[in-house]
Amino acid sequence: MESSPLAPARLFSCAGQVAVVTGAATGIGRAAAEALAAAGARVVLAGLASSKPERAAAGLVGQGADAIGVVCDVTDAAALAGLVDTTVRRFGRIDTVVANAGAALDDPGADAMEMLDRMFDLHVRAVARLADRALPVMAGGGGGAFIVMSSLSGLRGNRLLSGYGVTKAANAQLARNLAVQWGSRGIRANAISPGVIATDFARPITDDPSAAPARLAKTPLGRFGTPAEVAGAVVWLASPAGAFVSGQNIVIDGGTLVSD
């Protein structure tokens, strides 16, 4: 049965792929990079200099993966172009992109419009620029998976994460548009919308003795998610198992969205 195309080792294999993950040094991005490498992909981990993507890549290399780290501020168009160029020079192709870099900058004490502009640049313009650079390369190699990390906040009304939710809703729509625009060239574009995942990013919720119980009460599974549970969806979308999935927004939230 191991030779069957339905065997998990083949159905969920990313062997031979080259994957680029932004925001890859920590949290969900780090888990996605590790999972793709474990599935056989060569991985480029991109992140801000402060996150030390080279160190994260070295950790994967120490586990036997073929990986490199690239310092990249995704809001810098030249840096994004350099990320794609570096990947092609090193590995010759791109098969999967995980546009994961993001930040929640909503702050009651800050200028709301300024924060909205910054998050739109990070969650929407940067993803569009990355697609503009990477998708022609991917299409030239026969296609691939472009995965946008959106958020449950983009599917619900938000009391505090207003600009974050607005820009995450926008990047999920961008994924749908890319699926239509690039499908004929073999590109599958999808969004993933995690709920509260136990990472440093989510600590204002998970570590708050008043906020955490309230959120858990609204989550049918009664717990927070793990980065590995989001990374599993990334591998699924990048692998043969996800080869007919495009234009979707995969919600990974323990049932929060559908809870009454």
Side-chain angles (χ1 to χ4, degrees), residues 207-238:
D207 291 2
D208 186 325
S210 60
R215 174 51 66 96
L216 292 174
K218 298 176 182 178
T219 303
L221 289 186
R223 64 176 178 85
F224 299 124
T226 69
E229 290 166 330
V230 181
V234 170
V235 171
W236 165 52
L237 291 172

Side-chain angles (χ1 to χ4, degrees), residues 38-240:
R42 294 165 286 173
V43 184
V44 178
L45 293 83
L48 295 172
S50 59
S51 71
K52 298 180 172 58
E54 305 99 325
R55 185 167 65 185
L60 289 185
V61 171
Q63 298 172 33
D66 191 353
I68 62 170
V70 177
V71 172
C72 177
D73 177 351
V74 298
T75 64
D76 182 332
L80 275 181
L83 172 63
V84 172
D85 291 346
T86 296
T87 302
V88 173
R89 281 198 305 271
R90 173 65 182 266
F91 295 118
R93 58 186 296 119
I94 300 174
D95 302 282
T96 294
V97 171
V98 184
N100 168 75
L105 303 177
D106 290 292
D107 181 347
D111 183 282
M113 293 300 102
E114 180 185 349
M115 294 301 101
L116 181 62
D117 281 345
R118 288 179 60 189
M119 285 185 284
F120 197 87
D121 202 28
L122 178 58
H123 299 146
V124 185
R125 290 190 184 95
V127 177
R129 290 189 190 107
L130 181 55
D132 187 57
R133 284 285 182 170
L135 290 183
V137 176
M138 294 165 65
F146 192 90
I147 302 166
V148 178
M149 201 59 65
S150 192
S151 172
L152 180 65
S153 298
L155 294 166
R156 295 162 56 99
N158 301 281
R159 186 177 298 107
L160 298 176
L161 295 176
S162 177
Y164 183 78
V166 167
T167 56
K168 288 294 190 174
N171 76 8
Q173 179 60 36
L174 176 59
R176 287 186 284 267
N177 288 351
L178 293 173
V180 173
Q181 294 162 358
W182 287 86
S184 64
R185 299 190 65 185
I187 301 296
R188 308 182 310 278
N190 292 284
I192 294 176
S193 286
V196 179
I197 306 299
T199 62
D200 288 343
F201 178 84
R203 281 187 174 174
I205 296 174
T206 61
D207 291 2
D208 186 325
S210 60
R215 174 51 66 96
L216 292 174
K218 298 176 182 178
T219 303
L221 289 186
R223 64 176 178 85
F224 299 124
T226 69
E229 290 166 330
V230 181
V234 170
V235 171
W236 165 52
L237 291 172
S239 71

